Amino acid sequence: MSSTTPSQTTAADTLTVRVNGREVVVPRTMPEAVSGKAVPTTMIQACEAAGVTVPHYCYHPKLPVAGNCRMCLVEFGTPALGPDRQPLLNPDGSPVIRQSPRPAIACATPVSPGMEIYTDTDGVHAMRRAVMEFLLINHPLDCPICDQAGECKLQEYALDHGQAASGFDEVKVHKPKTVDLGPRILLDAERCILCSRCIRFTRDIARDDALGIINRGSYNTIAAYPGRQFDNNYTLNTADLCPVGALTSKDFRFRMRVWFLKESKSLCAGCGTGCNLLVGSRENRIHRFTPRQNDAVNSCWMCDEGRLNYRWVGRGDRLKSPLNRRSGATEWGTVLDETADLLRNASRGSVAVIGSARATCEELFLLKKLCQHLGARSDCVPREGEADGLLVSDDRNPNSHGARLTGVCFTEIGINLPYLANDIEAGKIRTLLVLGEDLTKPELELPTDLLGRLENLIVGDILPNPTVDQAHIVLPGCAHLEKRGTFINVNGRVQRFFKAVEPPGQAMPETGWLGGLLERLTGEAPARSAEALFNQLAEATPALKGLTWAALGDQGVTVEV
Amino acid sequence: MAEEHRLITKQFREAGYTPDLDCYLRHGGYDTLRRALRVTPEQLRNEVGVSGLRGRGGAGFSCGLKWSLVDRRSGKPIYLVCNADESEPGTFKDRQIIHLDPHQLIEGMILACYANDVHLAFIYIRGEFAEGARILNLALTEARAKGFLGKGILGGTYDLDIHVHRGAGAYICGEETGLLESLEGKRPYPRVKPPYYPAVLGLYQCPTIVNNVETLCAVKHVLAMGGTEYAKLGRPNNTGTRLVCLSGHVQQPGYFEIEVGAVTFRDLIFDPAFGGGLREDRTLKAIIPGGASAKVFRADEKVTLGGPGLEGAGPKRKVDVLDLPYDFTTLTAAGSMSGSGGIIVLDDSTDIVAALANLSEFFAHESCGQCTPCREGSLWMAKILRRLGSGQGRAGDADQLLHIADNIPGGRTICAFGEACSWPVQSFVGKFKAEFETKEAGV
């Protein structure tokens, strides 16, 4: 516990250390993972800044430090001080470095000016080898039947830092397997390396102190507190955090080997937060969502509800074919021709459009163009819930700002719906185009049989529902996982997403058929690609001025909304 | 002729001495407190600094230095915790103090609290000491009733209260940061240092002093005698008196108070004033000098002392283990430690493999399991020793034990338990290797 030595080299808010001989300047303090409070920069952060990865299990940049796995032990030295508390110098003027006789864990040890960190010495390698041996002696070593294989830190580090043979020749400790921790998480306690990431996550991030360790020593076992279920809306993050195969998702386990999964960058469309995610798919089938880090949005997490919201994408009853119930046409060309005729012949003021704040900015941009061309009034459908103070927003539409900025709806989504309903009842509106919403849902409190009063009901959607059933014309679209586009989240973060899987049958991205209709009505073909459409939208929208699809990057850009 | 030097235990064996307040007052109890409250806390801290008092819990850390590290500018309250989680095998001194003279501890605590501006203190007592907890609670009630505790102690302006907290039966709760976690109601996982040094971020993240029972009693005597006088006892850097707990194969096991460094192992084991010798027809085989975790000495071992760089100083010389003076620095220089003062004497009837198996079983049972090397290594060693002891030895077991024990200590673990569980293995196997190798054949 020496007093801090004064910085010899740099400004007050940075300091210089050496990592394996390479000089690196780091901030003196960094924000603490959970509280955001400034705390001294640690060795592992300095190594990261120097481009040196220190192997670790329990450390996670978004969790409080635990320091228990001991995998990140490093050797280090600090400048030696003379009796006058001034640094001692070598003949060449460089500071004399006093090697610490004891190693330190890089995850928890603060750096100090002039410190030298060594991650590549024989001593460090020996310590890692020892930790690997200790971790593996009671581990089942049955990777071929473990669901974590392929994304297991124990496997990876065993290869990088372990040894082929072990002197362990005793009976292993046996612990409970297939323990039901809660509705979505299973525990295999024998695979667990007790890094406590899951405990820290649920206590400090999900704010549900549901997990703990029972027993003692080598018999330590993760458990939910007696009489409690591990059932908050964030439990599946622990399966991501678990560096080994101890915690697995009941939804995903044993469904697909992870190395077969294609990973596509996408977003969750479950609410206005827009958590970034990776879609894991194989042969056109989605197998899981995992959160994709975006510190401006969701850090490394997502809620269980959003994560499991993918099964419907592959449902057998998806709308696969366009249909004009009156003509019987089921070809895109014919159906769009007939739809365009119908709109062209409608008298001005008799057409209205109800869009969706689950549609992409690009779709809403084209929808607005269509409204303008037809002189149609429009709105979208609000979707509200309770915010949880973590990631789930009270706005359950993923793109409410997109709906507002494109002008498809006004400040308050849904404010126009009663007026539009009145005009339908009064017979003023006789043709209605609905994009991706079921207007018969009771919470919308629209008059029953409202749709029956329409002369023409044109519906673009992806799954059957009562509105689709009543439609004269059905235009099958795509889940956002089957197309590209942008959403703007509740905080004005403009984020793009990419296609993970192909749509079923003839279903096509909504920008495709909206563009087809506009071309038929105006004689001018709008851009087809999401890139071009977004760039045009940005050009035309003050709030998005200067933005381009390319500039959004994978993390998005926040705009004033 | 060696003899005891009784400060703390002065009245313990006196006929009619009882643990109640009246008896303590009749023997001059709380006089030191009355006098100390007239001087400033700084002066008291200074006396303790001058006394050279080292902690009696096991690590032998300077008490004055520990107090000087307390963050007094944080604006947070400062807590004092008395570590009465005496659990080191072979150690039974704090229990004697608690049972026989609880007010001495309480007076020491009040003095230490006053010296450090502490207004709330705790006695963390091991769960098994149910009777001790009862005695302490009774004593605290007496002290409160007589105005030694509570608001305005002895009519002055100083306020203090002390609470007893019983552990639930875990050795690791004696590790000071594990103790603090337990006191906070959590699983007693020792804290990572840095940053959680108790002096800065202790109980409830406030500056905290954790002192052993005996240390706090010694504080009373330091302040009664004055630091300079106290420092005249013992030798430089090894001042005062301390309690040693003699157990194992001696005629008179028990606790004794010695002037630090004034007696040797030979005195402690053979002198009639102490152990009184071995059992008949037995010869000495080994000595565990400072609680189960201290490295063992062979009885026939010659220890190199002195020379440049070695604490204890003097010219470089070979010393018979039995002639080592019992103090902090000498035993450290001799490659072990005086630790908690628990001396376990093993004669030639001892099966050294079984003895180590017994110790290792204890450590495997008590490892909290927080960090990898100790969690996995302690049980691994115990399993090998269990095998060796039951005739299931295999070639290479002794070397395997050393391999494991070498990979646990030296800063690789969060707390000193890593050392505690591996030092016995390193020393037993290292110094009695032939006995382990014999068992490898499966005898």
Side-chain angles (χ1 to χ4, degrees):
Chain A
M1 281 194 276
S2 63
S3 58
T4 38
T5 47
S7 166
Q8 313 103 331
T9 45
T10 51
D13 49 350
T14 62
L15 53 82
T16 305
V17 299
R18 279 172 179 276
V19 178
N20 298 337
R22 224 191 100 205
E23 211 164 75
V24 58
V25 179
V26 295
R28 274 178 184 271
T29 62
M30 308 259 276
E32 200 269 327
V34 179
S35 67
K37 209 172 74 182
V39 290
T41 301
T42 58
M43 289 174 162
I44 207 166
Q45 290 166 329
C47 290
E48 182 78 27
V52 172
T53 303
V54 182
H56 56 269
Y57 289 105
C58 67
Y59 171 75
H60 188 285
K62 300 297 180 190
L63 295 177
V65 168
N68 61 42
C69 75
R70 317 307 285 183
M71 194 61 191
C72 71
L73 281 168
V74 294
E75 294 179 334
F76 70 104
T78 46
L81 299 180
D84 56 354
R85 308 288 300 160
Q86 290 304 306
L88 298 176
L89 298 181
N90 289 316
D92 66 354
S94 62
V96 175
I97 299 296
R98 190 178 48 85
Q99 306 293 325
S100 164
R102 290 159 76 88
I105 43 172
C107 67
T109 311
V111 289
S112 56
M115 179 184 265
E116 296 199 345
I117 304 167
Y118 319 105
T119 72
D120 198 22
T121 61
D122 289 346
V124 171
H125 290 298
M127 289 188 289
R128 290 177 188 163
R129 207 158 45 240
V131 170
M132 283 312 304
E133 181 175 30
F134 284 134
L135 285 175
L136 291 173
I137 58 171
N138 286 306
H139 192 82
L141 302 180
D142 54 1
C143 304
I145 59 156
C146 175
D147 203 44
Q148 188 80 1
E151 52 182 5
C152 173
K153 284 284 175 213
L154 213 48
Q155 253 184 347
E156 290 168 23
Y157 290 160
L159 216 63
D160 293 345
H161 309 289
Q163 53 197 5
S166 165
F168 186 80
D169 202 4
E170 317 301 323
V171 176
K172 289 190 188 233
V173 172
H174 288 295
K175 296 186 193 178
K177 296 177 89 76
T178 338
V179 182
D180 212 328
L181 284 186
R184 294 173 290 281
I185 291 284
L186 280 178
L187 165 70
D188 182 328
E190 287 189 345
R191 301 198 199 288
C192 176
I193 59 165
L194 297 158
C195 70
S196 79
R197 278 182 172 191
C198 52
I199 296 173
R200 284 173 282 148
F201 170 81
T202 193
R203 184 188 64 204
D204 298 315
I205 308 288
R207 296 180 217 147
D208 173 27
D209 202 353
L211 297 179
I213 290 175
I214 55 169
N215 301 333
R216 208 148 76 174
S218 197
Y219 301 96
N220 275 1
T221 305
I222 300 283
Y225 281 105
R228 274 227 45 191
Q229 284 267 299
F230 183 42
D231 59 359
N232 65 58
N233 195 21
Y234 292 86
T235 59
L236 286 167
N237 292 293
T238 61
D240 303 334
L241 281 169
C242 183
V244 297
L247 295 179
T248 47
S249 154
K250 287 188 192 173
D251 181 67
F252 176 70
R253 71 198 306 258
F254 302 128
R255 285 178 190 279
M256 185 50 61
R257 279 305 196 181
V258 294
W259 52 82
F260 289 130
L261 292 177
K262 180 184 79 172
E263 295 196 321
S264 317
K265 290 171 187 148
S266 189
L267 300 172
C268 176
C271 80
T273 302
C275 291
N276 291 209
L277 57 83
L278 285 174
V279 182
S281 65
R282 188 191 183 200
E283 290 174 356
N284 219 33
R285 190 169 151 199
I286 297 174
H287 288 280
R288 71 170 178 186
F289 288 168
T290 44
R292 177 164 58 90
Q293 184 174 353
N294 187 336
D295 290 351
V297 181
N298 57 307
S299 186
C300 299
W301 329 120
M302 67 186 297
C303 75
D304 290 359
E305 206 182 333
R307 186 193 295 252
L308 297 178
N309 187 21
Y310 68 88
R311 282 280 168 76
W312 58 272
V313 175
R315 255 164 69 173
D317 60 347
R318 283 280 302 272
L319 303 178
K320 297 187 188 75
S321 161
L323 171 67
N324 184 340
R325 290 209 166 93
R326 287 191 279 232
S327 71
T330 57
E331 288 295 316
W332 272 115
T334 322
V335 173
L336 286 182
D337 286 344
E338 290 167 356
T339 310
D341 282 346
L342 208 141
L343 291 171
R344 196 178 292 118
N345 296 333
S347 62
R348 202 150 178 89
S350 71
V351 181
V353 168
I354 294 179
S356 173
R358 295 198 292 191
T360 71
C361 292
E362 296 72 24
E363 290 157 11
L364 291 159
F365 176 57
L366 290 181
L367 197 61
K368 181 65 185 176
K369 276 181 186 285
L370 192 65
C371 292
Q372 282 164 337
H373 180 78
L374 298 169
R377 283 184 293 155
S378 62
D379 201 349
C380 291
V381 174
R383 196 168 265 108
E384 278 156 9
E386 219 169 286
D388 69 354
L390 297 166
L391 287 175
V392 177
S393 163
D394 55 358
D395 181 1
R396 297 294 159 83
N397 276 320
N399 197 22
S400 294
H401 281 309
R404 291 188 194 103
L405 285 178
T406 52
V408 175
C409 63
F410 301 96
T411 321
E412 198 181 317
I413 293 183
I415 202 167
N416 241 350
L417 288 179
Y419 302 105
L420 294 176
N422 275 345
D423 285 358
I424 293 172
E425 290 210 295
K428 281 197 219 161
I429 293 173
R430 294 187 296 281
T431 299
L432 184 67
L433 172 64
V434 182
L435 177 70
E437 295 289 359
D438 177 12
L439 300 182
T440 65
K441 285 194 301 185
E443 62 264 31
L444 293 180
E445 294 174 350
L446 295 174
T448 46
D449 198 38
L450 182 73
L451 301 177
R453 304 181 73 91
L454 290 161
E455 280 173 24
N456 300 303
L457 177 60
I458 306 160
V459 176
D461 214 324
I462 46 187
L463 284 168
N465 62 43
T467 304
V468 171
D469 292 345
Q470 293 180 60
H472 303 104
I473 295 174
V474 179
L475 306 167
C478 287
H480 77 290
L481 302 150
E482 297 160 349
K483 64 195 177 194
R484 309 202 297 166
T486 57
F487 289 145
I488 304 176
N489 85 354
V490 284
N491 297 317
R493 191 82 175 177
V494 189
Q495 307 190 92
R496 58 186 199 184
F497 56 85
F498 295 90
K499 177 172 167 176
V501 289
E502 293 293 335
Q506 293 186 66
M508 76 154 80
E510 286 76 351
T511 50
W513 59 257
L514 282 166
L517 282 179
L518 275 165
E519 183 180 0
R520 282 167 176 79
L521 290 168
T522 64
E524 229 176 275
R528 286 271 165 174
S529 72
E531 287 95 323
L533 285 170
F534 178 80
N535 292 348
Q536 287 175 13
L537 167 68
E539 191 60 37
T541 312
L544 305 177
K545 203 78 180 170
L547 272 185
T548 62
W549 172 273
L552 293 178
D554 288 336
Q555 302 273 294
V557 172
T558 301
V559 298
E560 226 23 84
V561 285
Chain B
M1 179 84 174
E3 56 181 25
E4 283 196 75
H5 188 112
R6 293 188 190 163
L7 286 180
I8 293 170
T9 61
K10 191 166 177 202
Q11 272 94 30
F12 284 17
R13 286 164 216 184
E14 196 177 290
Y17 191 80
T18 49
D20 55 271
L21 181 59
D22 287 343
C23 179
Y24 188 64
L25 290 172
R26 282 199 303 278
H27 289 77
Y30 292 106
D31 280 355
T32 311
L33 177 65
R34 279 177 213 283
R35 280 186 284 120
L37 287 175
R38 288 185 218 123
V39 302
T40 64
E42 290 81 356
Q43 282 171 289
L44 298 186
R45 292 204 296 272
N46 189 44
E47 289 301 321
V48 172
V50 168
S51 75
L53 175 64
R54 292 175 66 160
R56 306 301 198 225
F61 193 78
S62 158
C63 183
L65 181 56
K66 185 180 261 190
W67 290 7
S68 76
L69 294 170
V70 169
D71 181 358
R72 296 176 200 281
R73 293 185 196 161
S74 67
K76 299 185 213 171
I78 300 169
Y79 296 113
L80 184 135
V81 181
C82 168
N83 186 345
D85 192 63
E86 181 174 62
S87 315
E88 181 77 19
T91 312
F92 41 84
K93 61 190 178 64
D94 296 340
R95 189 172 72 140
Q96 303 301 332
I97 295 171
I98 291 165
H99 277 243
L100 300 175
D101 207 5
H103 282 287
Q104 182 179 186
L105 170 60
I106 293 168
E107 185 176 6
M109 281 186 77
I110 302 171
L111 289 163
C113 289
Y114 174 65
N116 287 288
D117 309 308
V118 172
H119 299 285
L120 185 58
F122 299 88
I123 302 173
Y124 187 101
I125 186 165
R126 74 178 278 196
E128 293 87 340
F129 286 0
E131 179 65 7
R134 196 188 62 77
I135 292 168
L136 281 171
N137 272 318
L138 205 63
L140 287 170
T141 307
E142 289 177 319
R144 273 186 215 111
K146 280 273 161 69
F148 295 118
L149 279 175
K151 290 264 174 213
I153 290 172
L154 294 176
T157 55
Y158 177 59
D159 308 333
L160 170 71
D161 209 352
I162 300 176
H163 298 284
V164 174
H165 180 94
R166 283 180 67 195
Y171 174 77
I172 201 63
C173 291
E175 198 280 346
E176 60 179 4
T177 59
L179 183 154
L180 295 178
E181 286 283 300
S182 174
L183 194 50
E184 289 181 10
K186 301 173 191 156
R187 189 177 170 84
Y189 272 1
R191 295 175 178 171
V192 174
K193 291 147 278 189
Y196 298 108
Y197 295 109
V200 183
L201 296 171
L203 185 64
Y204 305 115
Q205 300 296 297
C206 297
T208 303
I209 297 164
V210 184
N211 278 145
N212 169 260
V213 170
E214 187 190 341
T215 313
L216 287 164
C217 292
V219 164
K220 189 212 131 173
H221 294 280
V222 166
L223 297 179
M225 302 162 69
T228 317
E229 276 307 304
Y230 187 87
K232 286 178 186 164
L233 291 169
R235 5 217 261 180
N237 211 10
N238 297 276
T239 58
T241 65
R242 69 179 296 187
L243 273 64
V244 295
C245 317
L246 196 63
S247 65
H249 302 142
V250 287
Q251 295 285 359
Q252 299 166 167
Y255 67 95
F256 305 92
E257 187 170 4
I258 59 163
E259 186 180 344
V260 180
V263 296
T264 62
F265 281 118
R266 192 184 305 281
D267 298 330
L268 286 166
I269 295 169
F270 295 100
D271 195 292
F274 297 101
L278 302 170
R279 297 177 297 178
E280 219 152 291
D281 299 327
R282 288 292 171 194
T283 54
L284 185 65
K285 184 166 188 177
I287 306 165
I288 301 172
S293 52
K295 286 187 176 176
V296 71
F297 287 124
R298 278 180 74 107
D300 56 6
E301 195 172 333
K302 295 257 189 275
V303 177
T304 308
L305 286 185
L310 273 183
E311 251 191 313
K316 193 166 174 175
R317 62 205 184 272
K318 289 244 183 221
V319 182
D320 205 272
V321 158
L322 284 172
D323 294 324
L324 289 175
Y326 197 82
D327 66 22
F328 293 96
T329 44
T330 307
L331 296 195
T332 304
S336 185
M337 61 173 181
S338 61
S340 59
I343 301 168
I344 304 171
V345 180
L346 306 175
D347 71 18
D348 60 345
S349 70
T350 310
D351 177 339
I352 221 74
V353 176
L356 180 60
N358 179 295
L359 295 179
S360 290
E361 206 69 61
F362 171 80
F363 288 116
H365 185 255
E366 296 296 340
S367 167
C368 77
Q370 182 180 200
C371 64
T372 309
C374 166
R375 176 181 69 233
E376 303 299 341
S378 60
L379 183 62
W380 188 1
M381 295 189 295
K383 281 178 175 173
I384 294 176
L385 284 160
R386 211 180 288 162
R387 247 196 321 97
L388 271 176
S390 60
Q392 312 281 310
R394 296 190 201 115
D397 277 343
D399 286 330
Q400 185 63 43
L401 282 168
L402 290 176
H403 164 79
I404 301 165
D406 288 348
N407 280 330
I408 302 173
R412 296 164 185 240
T413 52
I414 290 174
C415 77
F417 192 103
E419 280 76 15
C421 71
S422 49
W423 281 349
V425 175
Q426 287 176 327
S427 58
F428 272 76
V429 181
K431 294 181 181 183
F432 297 93
K433 197 152 184 201
E435 298 196 27
F436 288 85
E437 283 168 346
T438 309
K439 300 258 185 184
E440 283 182 4
V443 193

